[in-house]
């Protein structure tokens, strides 16, 4: 598994509406976005982990000053999510401010944007 | 530091602000010529340049600042290097110059930090500044302010940080800038109400929690022990430097509430300087956002976790307190012309240590610490200066 293919595969899986991360074969540490060296033990040998997409909201913000290409979507609701299998990912949230609180249960959704898939999270069981 | 000492022998800066009619060249010339005058050194004694700048490529269409700088200063022929540590580039450039002089290969290195960034729109500026984040973060539209806001929320939840304490940081730094004629907001007084009523940028952070976009340039001359004997009346010692990176993306860090790189960089600087926090009497801390001033004071172990806010409330970090922080006005009120910022912090400490800080002079200071952050805490530089 070389560097280029790790990231490419992660993105190709996303485009297929799948969230697939890596698990270190040496120490079992789970990562969502792939690294080349395990952050815990430095090993470079990983196996794939397919996530259910369920997780918990660790922290969040409502961002009003957004980069140019997201201008029409402002404000962006952004959060850091810890997935139930381990590993964390930051992403836009499909939720209003009143629905959010630290510790809220979320699930991943895959939204079409500009011909790619944008990973987002919404409250678990919500519409 | 062990072995030969390294000195700051000259400082100079332009005003920080929305500077009309300036170019990169004019800003570089102004800051550098003031610095040479301050050092009483002639241009011919400068044997290398280190330039600091964040994004002249995107802000100004200029990607060859090293050669431009040498040319503007009539120094074509000498070596010129550029540092690149995002918003900590100024500090990184100073560290590079220190290492160049310490190596014995150079005697007088001129460090120039410059940024001309207010000529583009806020949207474009936001996008350019977001280039300091991880590729994944960039793709999601997650900016450094968003990361700072998420980190702030956790500090409010777990460490007792309050919305009012953040506002006080802005109030203090603006009050300090009223005494700094070169500050971006030299004439702007800010109250707690002003901060709390300002528009939300990234909840819970508001407009007045953020440093401005500023233009400006600052320069310092780093010199060898051999060199100062020839010209400098009041050299200031660089006692220690320390730098550290952190995991690039916020989401991948163990510590989501403070900056490990700040702790590591500070420890390294204290070790080289052979001193502890107790010996520091004045600080310039990277307050690009108000929470950073408080959290990083704790990361550098000046205060226990969750206590920097109370220390501010008690007046400890005010200009006339026991441990003044950001007497210059900080990034918040002195301004943040990104490439110049880290150089400007060291300039402020140098003036304070020389007793040349005018109306904002703090009495009895002999050792200062400057702290600069690149990205959202993924490249941090700490510089310790003293009178002896």
């Amino acid at each position: 598994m070389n560097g280029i293919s790790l990231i490419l595969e992660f993105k190709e899986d996303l485009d297929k509406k799948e969230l697939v991360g890596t698990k270190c074969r040496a120490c079992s540490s789970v990562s969502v976005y792939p690294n080349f060296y395990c952050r815990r033990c430095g090993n470079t040998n990983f196996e794939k982990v397919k996530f259910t997409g369920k997780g918990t909201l660790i922290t969040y913000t409502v961002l009003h000053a957004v980069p140019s290409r997201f201008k029409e979507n402002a404000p962006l609701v952004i959060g850091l999510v810890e997935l139930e299998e381990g590993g964390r990912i930051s992403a836009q949230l499909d939720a209003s401010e009143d629905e959010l609180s630290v510790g809220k249960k979320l699930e991943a959704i895959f939204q079409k944007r500009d011909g790619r898939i944008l990973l987002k999270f919404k409250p678990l069981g919500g519409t | 530091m062990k072995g030969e000492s390294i000195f700051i022998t000259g400082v100079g800066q332009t005003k920080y602000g929305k500077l009309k009619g300036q170019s990169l060249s004019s800003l570089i010339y102004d800051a550098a010529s003031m610095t040479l005058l301050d050092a009483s050194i002639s241009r011919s004694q400068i044997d290398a340049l280190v330039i600091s700048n964040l994004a002249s490529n995107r802000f100004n269409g200029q990607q060859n600042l090293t050669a431009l700088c040498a040319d503007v200063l009539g120094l074509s022929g000498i070596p010129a290097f550029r540092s690149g540590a995002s918003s900590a580039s100024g500090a990184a450039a100073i560290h590079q110059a220190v290492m160049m002089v310490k190596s014995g290969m150079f005697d007088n290195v001129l460090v120039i930090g410059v940024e001309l960034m207010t000529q583009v729109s806020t949207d474009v500026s936001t996008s350019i500044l977001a280039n300091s984040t991880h590729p994944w973060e960039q793709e999601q539209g997650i900016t450094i302010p968003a990361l700072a806001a998420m980190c702030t929320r956790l500090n409010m939840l777990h460490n007792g940080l309050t919305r009012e304490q953040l506002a006080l940081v802005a109030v203090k730094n603006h009050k300090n800038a009223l005494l700094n004629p070169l500050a971006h907001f030299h004439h702007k007084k800010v109250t707690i109400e002003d901060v709390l009523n300002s528009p939300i940028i990234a909840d819970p952070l508001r407009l007045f929690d953020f440093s401005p976009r500023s233009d400006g340039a600052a320069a310092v001359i780093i010199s060898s022990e051999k060199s100062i004997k020839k010209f400098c009346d009041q050299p200031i010692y660089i006692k220690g430097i320390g730098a550290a990176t952190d995991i690039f993306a916020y989401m991948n860090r163990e510590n989501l509430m403070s900056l490990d790189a700040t702790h590591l960089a500070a420890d390294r600087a204290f070790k080289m300087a052979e001193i502890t926090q107790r010996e520091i009497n004045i600080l310039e801390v990277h307050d690009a956002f108000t929470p950073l001033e408080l959290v990083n004071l704790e990361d550098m172990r000046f205060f226990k976790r969750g206590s920097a806010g109370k220390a501010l409330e008690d007046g400890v970090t005010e200009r006339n307190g026991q441990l003044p922080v950001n007497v210059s006005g900080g990034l918040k009120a002195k301004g943040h012309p990104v490439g110049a910022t880290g150089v400007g912090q060291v300039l402020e400490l140098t003036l304070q240590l020389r007793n040349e800080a005018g109306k904002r002079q703090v009495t009895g200071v002999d050792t200062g610490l400057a702290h600069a952050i690149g990205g959202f805490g993924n490249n941090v530089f700490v510089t310790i200066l003293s009178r002896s």
Side-chain angles (χ1 to χ4, degrees):
Chain A
M1 218 181 252
N2 65 43
I4 301 264
S5 69
L6 271 178
I7 296 177
L8 255 180
E9 284 166 21
F10 176 75
K11 293 189 171 179
E12 281 168 355
D13 287 330
L14 269 185
D15 281 338
K16 285 185 267 164
K17 302 194 178 184
E18 286 174 5
L19 191 55
V20 182
T22 55
K23 185 175 184 174
C24 175
R25 282 189 206 274
C27 75
S28 301
S29 171
V30 173
S31 194
V32 184
Y33 194 90
N35 329 304
F36 310 134
Y37 300 94
C38 173
R39 285 183 206 289
R40 198 178 293 165
C41 73
N43 182 44
T44 55
N45 210 354
F46 302 98
E47 62 190 53
K48 295 266 177 104
V49 176
K50 183 150 194 262
F51 298 104
T52 59
K54 298 204 175 81
T56 310
L57 187 62
I58 299 178
T59 181
Y60 64 94
T61 185
V62 180
L63 180 65
H64 291 257
V66 306
S68 310
R69 73 186 187 289
F70 285 105
K71 227 173 147 172
E72 293 120 46
N73 310 100
L76 289 180
V77 184
I78 285 159
L80 181 59
V81 184
E82 174 129 3
L83 299 179
E84 61 180 14
E85 297 87 345
R88 292 199 222 105
I89 189 85
S90 50
Q92 291 183 28
L93 306 179
D94 210 18
S96 65
E97 206 171 337
D98 348 306
E99 294 177 270
L100 293 175
S101 58
V102 168
K104 182 100 181 174
K105 296 294 179 207
L106 304 172
E107 58 183 342
I109 57 174
F110 302 89
Q111 210 172 74
K112 279 210 177 83
R113 190 183 199 264
D114 299 336
R116 301 299 299 269
I117 293 292
L118 182 67
L119 171 71
K120 292 173 90 162
F121 286 84
K122 69 171 174 66
L124 184 62
T127 43
Chain B
M1 62 169 73
K2 294 196 165 41
E4 299 241 329
S5 295
I6 309 292
F7 301 90
I8 295 173
T9 49
V11 297
Q13 67 160 90
T14 66
K15 178 141 168 57
Y16 286 179
K18 270 180 100 81
L19 305 177
K20 294 244 154 75
Q22 293 277 3
S23 62
L24 289 170
S25 301
S26 60
L27 289 172
I28 288 167
Y29 171 74
D30 284 345
S33 52
M34 280 188 269
T35 305
L36 289 164
L37 206 65
D38 179 67
S40 301
I41 191 180
S42 71
R43 278 181 307 132
S44 59
Q45 287 170 274
I46 299 295
D47 34 32
L49 300 172
V50 183
I51 285 88
S52 158
N53 171 269
L54 177 77
S56 61
N57 197 356
R58 292 194 66 190
F59 285 126
N60 320 108
Q62 176 54 251
Q63 64 191 183
N64 195 3
L65 264 189
T66 47
L68 180 151
C69 193
D71 186 60
V72 160
L73 300 179
L75 289 173
S76 300
I78 67 172
F81 305 91
R82 180 173 175 163
S83 72
S86 178
S87 30
S89 291
I94 288 177
H95 286 211
Q96 274 177 244
V98 168
M99 292 185 274
M100 284 163 70
V101 173
K102 187 81 174 149
S103 74
M105 289 172 70
F106 300 95
D107 282 316
N108 298 300
V109 178
L110 176 61
V111 177
I112 304 171
V114 63
E115 207 75 48
L116 186 62
M117 61 189 293
T118 68
Q119 298 163 347
V120 303
S121 69
T122 308
D123 281 346
V124 170
S125 206
T126 300
S127 302
I128 294 175
L129 294 170
N131 283 169
S132 279
T133 55
H134 185 280
W136 173 261
E137 289 166 341
Q138 287 189 41
E139 286 159 27
Q140 313 319 306
I142 296 172
T143 60
I144 291 181
L147 299 175
M150 289 198 282
C151 179
T152 301
R153 176 162 262 113
L154 289 177
N155 274 276
M156 287 175 153
L157 206 57
H158 299 292
N159 296 326
L161 178 66
T162 69
R163 189 42 276 195
E164 288 70 25
Q165 286 168 346
L166 296 178
L168 264 182
V169 174
V171 169
K172 166 175 75 70
N173 293 347
H174 273 276
K175 195 166 49 184
N176 289 341
L178 295 177
L179 300 176
N180 189 349
L182 297 179
H184 187 147
F185 291 127
H186 177 44
H187 296 291
K188 191 182 175 86
K189 219 171 166 206
V190 165
T191 64
I192 294 186
E193 289 68 41
D194 290 332
V195 183
L196 299 182
N197 293 329
S198 62
I200 298 227
I201 298 292
D203 177 70
L205 298 177
R206 295 176 175 267
L207 182 64
F208 281 31
D209 287 304
F210 285 71
S211 56
R213 280 93 203 260
S214 317
D215 302 322
V220 301
I221 296 173
I222 305 294
S223 300
S224 64
E225 213 173 284
K226 178 175 76 192
S227 183
I228 58 156
K229 297 191 172 94
K230 297 179 196 154
F231 68 90
C232 191
D233 286 331
Q234 203 183 356
I236 296 298
Y237 287 74
I238 298 209
K239 253 176 118 81
I241 59 174
T245 49
D246 197 352
I247 289 171
F248 196 10
Y250 178 64
M251 65 187 179
N252 289 327
R253 295 181 200 166
E254 287 294 322
N255 178 7
L256 297 176
M257 285 196 270
S258 73
L259 303 182
D260 286 345
T262 289
H263 177 53
L264 206 47
D267 270 0
R268 288 174 178 158
F270 283 123
K271 191 169 176 194
M272 186 183 293
E274 295 177 288
I275 62 168
T276 69
Q277 288 81 347
R278 269 193 302 274
E279 279 73 52
I280 303 294
N281 8 82
I282 183 168
L283 290 99
E284 288 277 301
V285 174
H286 192 99
D287 60 325
F289 321 111
T290 51
L292 291 179
E293 177 172 311
L294 302 177
V295 171
N296 284 278
L297 282 170
E298 293 165 1
D299 283 325
M300 292 189 280
R301 307 293 188 259
F302 285 99
F303 302 104
K304 287 201 169 81
R305 184 63 62 200
S307 308
K310 174 107 194 345
L312 171 54
E313 284 165 346
D314 292 343
V316 174
T317 53
E318 292 273 7
R319 188 171 56 86
N320 54 8
Q322 296 147 260
L323 190 66
V325 175
N326 287 333
V327 175
S328 63
L331 277 61
K332 177 70 196 74
K334 177 184 176 177
H336 188 25
V338 186
T341 292
V343 182
Q345 288 177 321
V346 167
L347 175 152
E348 173 69 16
L349 293 179
T350 300
L351 293 178
Q352 290 282 352
L353 295 177
R354 285 185 193 166
N355 253 300
E356 291 175 2
K359 292 205 173 111
R360 64 185 191 281
Q361 181 68 49
V362 178
T363 50
V365 291
D366 56 63
T367 310
L369 182 150
H371 157 269
I373 302 177
F376 185 61
N378 42 43
N379 203 357
V380 179
F381 298 77
V382 171
T383 312
I384 296 175
L385 281 62
S386 70
R387 287 160 56 106
S388 57

